[in-house]
């Protein structure tokens, strides 16, 4: 089912997951994967339903709490998203993705100091977490700490040279905030090539 989902084959993926559930209705990982399938195909209500079913069977399944939090964030229910990420982290304090996602919620809520803490924790747990470095840079930029933001974007690029978003963010800060248009143009060119 996962591979079929990655190939964009919704119906085939759904059919395989339903076969797995027919054999074992309490297969909470499959319910979680069904939630991912519906999320990927922009059906948040169905995704929520499957994540919640997975959590009824296994309330200690951190990944499902995290995934549910992402759906709530995507549909603008930030308080519910925060509770989901908090539960995921309570269950698995070393879940770097949940810390990063919690940082995203804090950013949306304008709680930038808490966002920084969440991103730092994600990076501490997973030093090569490119999205966390990029997000950390975004918050540093928002706080006016441009030199540290540049370092964070450069770290993301060092880890994953083809990460267009970090090149774009670096170009933006170089052009708008640091007055370095030639360096900015180079960053934007790299982003566009990717």
């Amino acid at each position: 089912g996962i591979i079929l989902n990655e190939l964009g084959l919704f119906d085939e993926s759904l059919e395989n997951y339903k076969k797995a559930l027919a054999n074992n209705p309490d297969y909470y990982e499959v319910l979680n994967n069904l939630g991912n399938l519906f999320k990927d195909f922009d059906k948040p209500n169905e995704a929520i339903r499957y994540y919640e079913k997975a959590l009824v069977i296994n309330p200690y399944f951190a990944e499902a709490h995290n995934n549910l939090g992402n759906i709530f964030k995507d549909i603008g229910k930030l308080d519910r998203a925060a509770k989901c990420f908090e539960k995921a982290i309570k269950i698995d304090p070393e879940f770097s993705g949940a810390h990063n996602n919690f940082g995203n919620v804090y950013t949306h809520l304008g709680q930038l100091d808490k966002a920084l803490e969440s991103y730092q924790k994600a990076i501490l747990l997973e030093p090569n977490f490119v999205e966390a470095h990029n997000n950390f840079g975004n918050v540093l930029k928002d706080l006016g700490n441009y030199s540290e933001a540049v370092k964070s974007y450069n770290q993301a690029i060092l880890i994953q040279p083809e990460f267009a978003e970090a090149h774009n963010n670096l170009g933006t800060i170089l052009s708008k905030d640091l007055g370095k248009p030639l360096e900015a143009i180079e960053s934007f060119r790299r982003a566009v090539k990717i």
Side-chain angles (χ1 to χ4, degrees):
I2 292 171
I3 293 169
L4 292 168
N5 182 13
E6 289 173 0
L7 294 172
L9 302 171
F10 177 84
D11 292 333
E12 293 84 348
S13 182
L14 181 62
E15 182 179 323
N16 277 335
Y17 286 135
K18 289 194 174 188
K19 284 179 185 175
L21 284 177
N23 292 330
N24 181 0
D26 291 336
Y27 200 167
Y28 61 88
E29 291 97 339
V30 169
L31 291 166
N32 181 68
N33 290 343
L34 275 164
N36 292 339
L37 174 68
F38 282 104
K39 179 186 185 295
D40 291 346
F41 283 88
D42 200 28
K43 298 181 180 193
N45 292 331
E46 290 89 345
I48 290 168
R49 190 179 63 176
Y50 281 105
Y51 293 139
E52 288 177 341
K53 283 183 178 183
L55 290 168
V56 166
I57 296 166
N58 182 358
Y60 301 101
F61 189 28
E63 185 178 338
H65 285 289
N66 182 66
N67 292 338
L68 185 58
N70 280 326
I71 286 284
F72 285 134
K73 181 184 66 68
D74 291 347
I75 62 174
K77 296 184 177 183
L78 299 179
D79 289 338
R80 290 192 70 184
K83 288 178 185 172
C84 291
F85 297 133
E86 190 173 28
K87 285 180 186 174
I89 291 166
K90 185 175 184 181
I91 294 164
D92 182 0
E94 297 191 8
F95 191 166
S96 61
H99 285 284
N100 181 69
N101 292 332
F102 212 171
N104 294 337
V105 169
Y106 282 134
T107 299
H108 285 292
L109 292 171
Q111 298 177 21
L112 300 184
D113 289 338
K114 288 184 178 181
L116 285 178
E117 288 176 24
S118 292
Y119 295 137
Q120 284 176 316
K121 183 69 174 179
I123 292 166
L124 181 67
L125 292 167
E126 189 178 337
N128 289 333
F129 194 164
V130 68
E131 290 86 357
H133 283 284
N134 186 65
N135 292 336
F136 189 64
N138 289 338
V139 173
L140 288 168
K141 178 185 176 290
D142 290 345
L143 291 170
N145 192 342
Y146 304 129
S147 61
E148 290 301 313
V150 167
K151 287 179 188 176
S152 195
Y153 295 140
N154 280 326
Q155 184 63 32
I157 292 165
L158 182 67
I159 295 165
Q160 186 177 333
E162 302 299 311
F163 190 45
E165 188 176 342
H167 285 287
N168 185 64
N169 290 339
L170 180 59
T172 300
I173 199 170
L174 289 170
S175 67
K176 291 185 178 179
D177 302 305
L178 296 175
K180 297 181 178 182
L182 296 178
E183 291 178 47
I185 289 169
E186 184 57 32
S187 288
F188 289 135
R189 282 187 181 145
R190 287 185 184 138
V192 170
K193 282 183 184 178
I194 300 168

